[in-house]
């Protein structure tokens, strides 16, 4: 059973399905173009693009997805995965049919997130040896990773 | 619905928190208010941290002026548009989402836990201080606060970010639409400016990566991962390197006044990414913007931006506009140039989505009011107040630059000291001592009471200015009180004409040869006699009386 409150917050997570269409742009990338449109509270709080009731969702660009996930796929694998991913998208896509016009947008599903914050009091983690031991490649005092130079 | 509520109370949609109203055309009028004319350019750059001029004192001023003129000449016909993203590391004890303590310079990978290492199954819990600091800064930047904001995940893949995403704020930042007022340094021509603030949002820092030149691996230190940051995005309101540097210097002053960060650029607690574009004057659309990073002082920022502006204008002039591309350039201090770090191919897709592990951040009116009431007097208010006391802009900027210096100055005034004299002592001997000994004003043994006592003692003639300087050195380094030092060392100025006369007689009697020469016409020797009398009085003779009596004695032989 999916509650309506949950629907609104689930949609944003499907953002990757719309990769080919620019999502709400990052405010940084928008700079220095000035946007003068006044967004309503509702729109500004929603991550979904302009037409939330769009019936069909675009098919994914599997190569692009693979690149974003830092996995390499052969052309055969891309062809193999494409319909499978589309199936999942279609399944979630059924949610697009839900009429949300009268529903207040919510930031997230009604999950049991602990709403308390924390005092700014230090507490050192007491089993550092164990987390360091779990690091695949460690050369005291640094974690070793393959040589990386900026890739965004 | 899960919410973090900051101290119960009612919610309104957005609170307008501006102190004054915006002019209708703020965006087009970055040059506004009073453009003050400053004629005293005699003193060199005294603003210790505001502009860390590394050149020698005398040459730096002329270099600055020359650079300024050069820039003006070069930019003819073009206009530079500058916007700045500033990351401020908050001086909380613990990280943003876990209880790990963070101290700059700790042994690598010691202040870490499963949460900031991004291990599976861990959950972030927000540090309440982060929200408090964000509200403090938001209010100080005259922003509108978002009564309900939220965290989002910004995905990118890099080893300094163990979770594979950064917890940040995307479409609903905690504060937006503010502004900051600055006064440009006198030696750069002065002037008052207002720069817009687009937004302020909370996020976490990443770890540190070390790339070795020769090896095939990189090293990661995760101590800094998860440390809270505030990102401040400015409107593209700046037009020159000095405006940008002064904007950044004002942010540093603000975060220090507010106590939310140490604002230290060398340690990376205040990092500025500057976007620069150039367009022919009159053109409406912006030119291609270039991002500059790696400037670790305000003066480097100033120089890097002015270099970048002239580089872009040169390309315009040569008809090579197409060679200005969207890229990130680094400032190289050695060559005083910017160079390409990476070209930006398309816009990064961060696939933002709401952070499901953290509740909304809800601010109540009570919480905001409480913070507003606890705000200290801010740099801009201080500068205007000092200006109204009759101080010159040079003095105003120096005193308001550091809140502890300003506090010391204010405390000195509270003890009844003369405004201008107090400013002169602080900016002169005291500042010089602090600079030499690398001490802050709070580390001196001198108290504001004693400084005002000293000023009063000179003003009422108890001691001479010269003795005052000597006492001050003693007070700064060893402490004690002015009264006690005057008594102990028997330093009270001699103002009794009879006593001075006796000293003069003694000196004249001891130097018959010089007296003869003087009376033979070598009147320059009066200086010699004056020096001898002063020496005889151990510096305590009132110089005006001394010279008067001496002249009488030398010229009318008894």
């Amino acid at each position: 059973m999916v509650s309506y409150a949950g629907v609104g917050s689930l949609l944003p997570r499907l953002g990757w399905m719309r990769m080919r269409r620019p999502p709400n742009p990052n405010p940084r990338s928008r700079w220095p173009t000035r946007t003068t449109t006044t967004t309503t509270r509702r729109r500004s709080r929603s991550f979904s693009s302009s037409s939330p009731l769009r019936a069909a969702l675009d098919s994914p660009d599997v190569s692009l997805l693979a690149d974003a996930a830092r996995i390499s796929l052969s052309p055969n694998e891309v062809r193999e995965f494409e319909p499978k991913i589309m199936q999942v998208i279609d399944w979630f896509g059924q949610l697009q049919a839900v009429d949300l016009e009268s529903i207040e947008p919510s930031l997230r599903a009604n999950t049991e997130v602990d709403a308390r914050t924390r005092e700014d009091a230090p507490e050192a983690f007491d089993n550092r040896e164990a987390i360091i031991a779990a690091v695949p490649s460690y050369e005291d005092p640094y974690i070793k990773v393959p040589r990386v130079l900026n890739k965004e | 619905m899960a919410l973090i509520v900051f101290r119960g109370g009612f919610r309104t949609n957005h609170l307008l928190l501006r102190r004054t109203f915006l002019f209708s055309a703020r965006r087009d009028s970055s040059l506004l208010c009073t453009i003050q004319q400053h004629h005293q350019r005699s003193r060199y750059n005294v603003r210790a941290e505001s502009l860390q001029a590394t050149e020698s004192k005398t040459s730096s001023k002329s270099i600055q002026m020359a650079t300024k003129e050069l820039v003006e000449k070069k930019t003819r016909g073009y206009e530079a548009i500058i916007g700045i993203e500033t990351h401020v590391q908050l001086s909380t004890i613990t990280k943003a989402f876990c209880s790990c303590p963070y101290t700059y310079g700790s042994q690598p990978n010691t202040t870490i836990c499963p949460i900031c290492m991004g291990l599976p199954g861990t959950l972030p819990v927000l540090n309440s201080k982060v929200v408090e600091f964000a509200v403090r800064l938001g209010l100080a930047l005259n922003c509108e606060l978002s009564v309900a904001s939220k965290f989002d995940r910004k995905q990118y893949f890099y080893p300094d970010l163990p979770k594979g995403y950064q917890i940040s704020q995307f479409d609903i930042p905690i504060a937006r639409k503010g502004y900051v007022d600055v006064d440009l340094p006198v030696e750069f021509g002065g002037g008052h400016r207002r720069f817009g603030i687009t937004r302020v949002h909370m996020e976490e820092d990443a770890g540190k990566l070390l790339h070795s030149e020769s090896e095939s691996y990189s090293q990661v230190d995760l101590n800094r991962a998860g440390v809270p940051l505030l990102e401040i995005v400015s409107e593209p309101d700046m037009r020159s390197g000095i405006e940008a540097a002064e904007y950044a210097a004002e942010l540093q002053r603000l975060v220090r006044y507010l106590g939310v960060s140490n604002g230290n650029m060398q340690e990376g607690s205040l990092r500025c990414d500057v976007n620069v574009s150039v367009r022919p004057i009159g053109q409406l659309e912006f030119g291609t913007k270039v991002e500059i990073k790696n400037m670790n002082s305000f003066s480097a920022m100033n120089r890097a931006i002015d270099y970048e502006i002239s580089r872009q204008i040169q390309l315009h002039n040569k008809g090579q506009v197409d060679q200005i591309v969207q890229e990130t350039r680094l400032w190289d201090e050695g060559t005083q140039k910017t160079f390409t770090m990476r070209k930006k191919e398309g816009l990064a897709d961060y696939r933002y989505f709401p952070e499901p592990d953290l509740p909304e951040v809800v601010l109540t009116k009570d919480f905001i009011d409480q913070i507003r009431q606890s705000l200290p007097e801010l740099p801009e208010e201080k500068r205007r107040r000092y200006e109204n006391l009759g101080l010159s802009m040079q003095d105003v900027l120096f005193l308001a630059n550091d809140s502890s210096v300003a506090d010391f100055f204010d405390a000195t005034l509270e003890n009844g000291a003369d405004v201008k004299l107090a400013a002169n002592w602080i900016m002169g001997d005291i500042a010089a001592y602090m600079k030499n000994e690398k001490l802050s004003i709070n580390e001196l043994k001198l108290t504001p009471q004693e400084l005002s006592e000293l000023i009063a003692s000179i003003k009422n003639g108890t001691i001479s200015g010269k003795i005052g300087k000597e006492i001050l050195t003693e007070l700064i380094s060893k402490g004690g009180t002015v009264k006690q030092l005057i008594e102990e060392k028997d330093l009270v100025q001699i103002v009794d004409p009879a006593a001075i006369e006796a000293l003069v007689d003694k000196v004249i009697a001891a130097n018959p040869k010089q007296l003869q020469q003087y009376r033979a016409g070598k009147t320059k020797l009066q200086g010699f006699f004056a020096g001898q009398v002063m020496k005889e009085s151990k510096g305590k003779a009132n110089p005006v009386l001394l010279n008067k009596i001496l002249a009488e004695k030398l010229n009318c032989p008894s």
Side-chain angles (χ1 to χ4, degrees), chain A residues 79-142:
Chain A
R79 271 193 296 278
E80 191 190 325
F81 278 122
E82 188 153 4
K84 290 179 180 170
I85 294 174
M86 200 56 218
Q87 266 184 334
V88 179
I89 292 173
D90 283 341
W91 186 65
F92 276 98
Q94 293 172 30
L95 294 170
Q96 301 288 351
V98 179
D99 181 6
L100 297 172
E101 276 308 299
S102 58
I103 310 291
E104 258 295 290
S106 69
L107 294 182
R108 56 181 52 76
N110 195 12
T111 48
E112 295 298 315
V113 179
D114 192 338
R116 279 172 302 183
T117 54
R118 185 169 56 75
E119 290 305 308
D120 187 24
E123 197 181 316
F125 181 66
D126 59 11
N127 201 357
R128 181 173 168 271
E129 287 71 29
I131 47 175
I132 292 293
V135 172
S137 177
Y138 183 79
E139 194 176 82
D140 200 34
Y142 293 104

Side-chain angles (χ1 to χ4, degrees), chain B residues 472-538:
Chain B
L472 184 76
T473 315
E474 188 107 3
L475 289 171
I476 291 175
S477 55
K478 298 194 187 117
T481 68
V482 176
K483 276 201 179 108
Q484 165 208 331
L485 277 172
I486 292 173
E487 274 168 33
E488 244 172 51
K489 306 204 162 186
D490 188 22
L491 295 172
V492 178
Q493 185 165 239
I494 304 170
V495 287
D496 175 11
I500 293 176
E501 197 178 335
L503 288 167
V504 170
D505 287 341
K506 194 176 167 196
V507 168
I508 289 176
N511 297 285
K513 220 170 101 190
Q514 283 83 353
L515 180 67
Q516 214 174 14
Q517 288 172 340
Y518 179 89
R519 290 192 173 152
K522 209 171 171 191
T523 51
K524 268 197 276 178
L525 277 173
Q526 185 176 342
F528 161 79
F529 283 104
Q532 292 300 307
V533 178
M534 192 51 101
K535 201 173 159 191
E536 192 66 29
S537 76
K538 298 191 180 88

